[in-house]
């Protein structure tokens, strides 16, 4: 992902989205179905946003990481599309596929491709020119967030899970071998 660009364009966001999805697909290229539901050892497991208290310290499976990352990036993309269209921020726009229903590597790949399609389509919904002056504030981020910043936050969130995916894939490969 090209993170050195200070003022990315929609084309940059398209390219970065494709690169991120391609990177994730590349990381799971040699995975098999059992890898999707393998529970890794993760001493850092701490999901403070878990709906169920029993899942706060649950180590995430590969499928769980993929559905979470894609849901977060899609949320960012769809909020960004609304901002770009001049719509005032009205709150979260999130749906996460229940991770427990994703049990094969084909489903993981399908989730990634579906997410790519939705994110790229959201960029096509932006008007020309987009309303980049339309912003809102998030308490955990400094400054005003416009459409580009919000879309980019989704890509950054994806990036924050790459090491986790890498570790899970390494553990699954070690168990298989």
């Amino acid at each position: 992902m090209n993170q050195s660009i200070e003022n990315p364009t929609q084309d940059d966001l398209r390219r970065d989205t494709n690169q991120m999805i391609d990177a994730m697909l590349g990381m799971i290229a040699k995975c098999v179905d059992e890898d999707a539901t393998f529970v890794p050892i993760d001493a850092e497991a701490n999901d403070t946003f878990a709906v169920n208290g029993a899942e706060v310290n649950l180590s995430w499976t590969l499928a769980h990481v993929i559905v979470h990352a894609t849901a977060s990036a899609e949320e960012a993309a769809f909020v960004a599309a609304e901002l770009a269209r001049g719509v005032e921020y009205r709150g979260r726009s999130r749906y996460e596929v229940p991770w427990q229903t994703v049990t094969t590597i084909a489903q993981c790949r399908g989730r990634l491709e579906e997410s790519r399609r939705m994110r790229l389509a959201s960029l096509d919904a932006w008007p020309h020119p987009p309303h980049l002056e339309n912003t809102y504030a998030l308490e955990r981020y400094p400054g005003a967030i416009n459409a580009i910043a919000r879309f980019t936050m989704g890509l950054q969130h994806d990036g924050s899970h790459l090491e986790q995916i890498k570790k899970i894939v390494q553990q699954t490969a070690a168990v298989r071998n």
Side-chain angles (χ1 to χ4, degrees):
M1 197 167 92
N2 187 352
Q3 297 179 0
S4 64
I5 296 176
E6 290 183 26
N7 295 305
T9 65
Q10 285 170 263
D11 286 338
D12 295 324
L13 297 175
R14 281 183 190 90
R15 183 196 61 243
D16 290 349
T17 296
N18 283 318
Q19 287 176 351
M20 182 60 72
I21 297 292
D22 289 345
M24 290 180 173
L25 286 168
M27 294 174 83
I28 66 170
K30 294 181 180 178
C31 289
V32 297
D33 284 345
E34 294 78 24
D35 298 347
T37 58
F38 172 82
V39 179
I41 297 169
D42 184 357
E44 298 174 22
N46 182 23
D47 182 2
T48 57
F49 296 104
V51 176
N52 178 345
E55 294 182 357
V56 171
N57 297 110
L58 180 72
S59 293
W60 286 12
T61 65
L62 183 59
H64 194 159
V65 175
I66 288 172
V67 300
H68 168 78
T70 55
S72 296
E74 290 159 16
E75 175 182 15
F78 283 93
V79 169
E82 287 199 340
L83 290 171
R85 292 175 41 241
V87 176
E88 183 178 322
Y89 177 70
R90 296 175 284 160
R92 299 190 74 178
S93 177
R94 184 183 182 86
Y95 172 75
E96 185 168 322
V97 171
W99 61 270
Q100 300 89 338
T101 66
V102 180
T103 59
T104 68
I105 210 65
Q107 287 176 293
C108 291
R109 290 181 183 119
R111 178 82 276 276
L112 287 164
E113 289 296 355
E114 181 178 56
S115 186
R116 179 198 315 258
R117 179 184 56 77
M118 289 192 292
R119 294 189 229 179
L120 295 176
S122 77
L123 288 167
D124 289 337
W126 289 27
H128 297 287
H131 295 270
L132 298 180
E133 74 287 349
N134 187 23
T135 64
Y136 74 104
L138 277 176
E139 55 190 68
R140 62 186 184 267
Y141 295 97
I145 298 168
N146 69 7
I148 289 174
R150 189 64 182 107
F151 195 100
T152 301
M153 288 166 62
L155 289 166
Q156 291 169 338
H157 183 265
D158 273 344
S160 75
H161 287 287
L162 292 177
E163 187 64 25
Q164 186 178 17
I165 292 169
K166 178 182 174 185
K167 287 179 181 178
I168 294 168
V169 170
Q170 287 172 339
Q171 285 185 39
T172 63
V175 167
R176 246 191 344 272
N177 295 331

